[in-house]
Amino acid sequence: MAEVLLFHHAQGLTPGVRAFADDLRAAGHTVHTPDLFDGRTFQSIDEGLAYIGEIGFDDMRERGVRVAGELTPELVYAGFSFGVLPAQKLTQTRPGACGALLFHSCLPISGERAFGPWPDGVPVQIHGMDSDPIFIGEGDIDAAREIVEKVEDAELFLYPGDQHYFADSSLPSYDAAASALLTRRVLEFLDRV
């Protein structure tokens, strides 16, 4: 069974993020869900991003990195949207990563925004909607395609739709069919890492 460090999105550690973690736990995996917002949740992505902006994106990302320091390095790092920032940084910079699960977001592995190259032998899945204005419109899809092109064990899954947080069952953007398929793919991934 895998041990997963799962970071929440910009609306916080919502009941939907907790429910997703519980689904992974029910399959026998250990899942850590740190609350980087100290109990705060937000009604919209914009409100959450404003809060992150007040604290500072780098500082908020580093909160996640510090959490990992208390755990074994042999983790699967996972993140929903904003949570991809610490998850991807840890995957690429902390030795021992067993895998990465990137939901609704992706960062490049080359250029000035990159944390460096992808580590050899670390598998990754990237999940997003094919008409999500953030994932598609803000360039995350290009970063995902770069990873799939350059990393031996990398998969990109696109789901029909235009919602960003489609896997969070507590939000109006939830898509039950897409989320069920995402969860099945994630469980298959965790069973093999």
Side-chain angles (χ1 to χ4, degrees), residues 1-191:
M1 294 292 109
E3 187 167 356
V4 181
L5 179 55
L6 175 65
F7 295 104
H8 61 74
H9 50 63
Q11 286 183 246
L13 186 56
T14 61
V17 172
R18 292 176 192 272
F20 179 81
D22 287 341
D23 288 344
L24 303 186
R25 290 182 186 114
H29 304 289
T30 300
V31 184
H32 306 277
T33 53
D35 186 346
L36 302 182
F37 292 178
D38 300 320
R40 292 178 184 88
T41 57
F42 299 93
Q43 294 301 308
S44 71
I45 294 172
D46 288 341
E47 289 175 28
L49 290 175
Y51 173 70
I52 294 167
E54 288 173 20
I55 305 296
F57 274 82
D58 291 343
D59 289 343
M60 194 64 74
R61 181 191 66 228
E62 292 309 308
R63 285 184 184 184
V65 171
R66 284 192 297 276
V67 167
E70 300 169 11
L71 302 170
T72 177
E74 290 80 26
L75 295 168
V76 173
Y77 297 103
F80 285 99
S81 193
F82 162 75
V84 165
L85 292 171
Q88 194 167 336
K89 178 177 182 177
L90 286 160
T91 302
Q92 291 184 244
T93 63
R94 187 177 189 221
C98 296
L101 295 163
L102 311 178
F103 308 117
H104 322 307
S105 187
C106 190
L107 299 168
I109 57 172
S110 63
E112 64 184 48
R113 290 182 48 215
F115 298 118
W118 197 262
D120 289 339
V122 178
V124 57
Q125 280 189 349
I126 306 159
H127 300 263
M129 283 200 151
D130 63 5
S131 297
D132 172 2
I134 298 172
F135 187 74
I136 301 299
E138 295 184 5
D140 297 65
I141 185 70
D142 299 323
R145 288 182 174 139
E146 177 190 17
I147 290 174
V148 169
E149 180 183 311
K150 294 180 178 178
V151 175
E152 183 177 336
D153 191 355
E155 298 174 289
L156 169 61
F157 296 107
L158 294 175
Y159 303 82
D162 61 1
Q163 297 302 309
H164 191 55
Y165 296 158
F166 70 88
D168 185 324
S169 61
S170 63
L171 298 178
S173 55
Y174 179 63
D175 183 310
S179 183
L181 181 54
L182 177 148
T183 302
R184 191 185 89 225
R185 288 169 168 164
V186 165
L187 290 173
E188 289 170 357
F189 178 88
L190 292 176
D191 285 345

